[in-house]
Amino acid sequence: MTTQDNNLSRRDFLKLGIGALSALAVLEMSGVSLFFMQPRTLEGEFGGIVNAGPVDSFPAGSVVEFPDGRFFLIHAPDGGFLAVYSRCTHLGCTISWEADKNHFFCPCHASSFSATGDVQNPPAPRALDLFAITITDGQVLVDTGRITQRDRFTTDQLTYA
Ligand code: FES
């Protein structure tokens, strides 16, 4: 074996090593990318589907808060369901339900919303956002990953069992 052969094989070895390290780096980056692309929400948590419970457990005319899901479930007097996001449509403060006044209230700038989420008192520019509801096997399922903005309440937004 000549000196030139040794140099060539050393160069080839370095090329091979650099190639292997590059391939390893690409694999690591792919793995990290896949990890970060995984959905971050689990069933039952905000961003996923929350099982609010059996239809029968919500009397018509009731409003029930689900703090972990960040919504209020409204069972309208006619039997339809609405799930409103507990985030004010003005600047995003958390609203509360004031049963004695039959409205939602935002403590930040005093917007209020009716029992169906319509603006009663600005500065909120539009009705409370909605989450999609499906009723399956008598259970009210609220998809907190699907938010619908609306100007005002209309009866076609209600979901029936
Ligand atoms: S954030 Fe609710 S009124 Fe301003």
Side-chain angles (χ1 to χ4, degrees):
M1 191 177 281
T2 66
T3 308
Q4 192 171 4
D5 285 343
N6 280 340
N7 286 342
L8 275 178
S9 70
R10 223 178 279 135
R11 186 174 297 142
D12 287 344
F13 177 78
L14 282 174
K15 278 184 187 172
L16 211 70
I18 289 169
L21 286 174
S22 299
L24 188 63
V26 168
L27 275 175
E28 283 181 19
M29 289 302 292
S30 302
V32 169
S33 298
L34 284 174
F35 174 77
F36 280 105
M37 287 166 56
Q38 294 296 313
R40 304 273 169 157
T41 56
L42 297 173
E43 200 170 296
E45 293 181 355
F46 179 73
I49 294 176
V50 175
N51 185 341
V55 169
D56 299 343
S57 61
F58 304 101
S62 65
V63 176
V64 178
E65 184 176 13
F66 287 80
D68 292 344
R70 302 184 201 170
F71 66 88
F72 290 87
L73 186 67
I74 299 164
H75 194 186
D78 79 340
F81 284 93
L82 275 182
V84 295
Y85 195 3
S86 60
R87 187 174 181 271
C88 180
T89 54
H90 180 221
L91 294 177
C93 291
T94 301
I95 58 163
S96 59
W97 170 245
E98 296 184 337
D100 56 327
K101 295 178 181 157
N102 198 39
H103 75 183
F104 295 97
F105 181 73
C106 178
C108 291
H109 310 100
S111 282
S112 63
F113 305 85
S114 73
T116 53
D118 273 335
V119 177
Q120 287 180 324
N121 188 47
R126 57 184 165 75
L128 295 171
D129 296 340
L130 295 179
F131 291 129
I133 294 178
T134 52
I135 296 176
T136 307
D137 298 329
Q139 302 289 311
V140 182
L141 306 177
V142 179
D143 187 346
T144 60
R146 287 173 52 203
I147 301 173
T148 302
Q149 293 186 353
R150 57 185 178 147
D151 290 330
R152 66 190 61 81
F153 169 72
T154 55
T155 53
D156 64 331
Q157 295 163 356
L158 292 163
T159 301
Y160 294 87

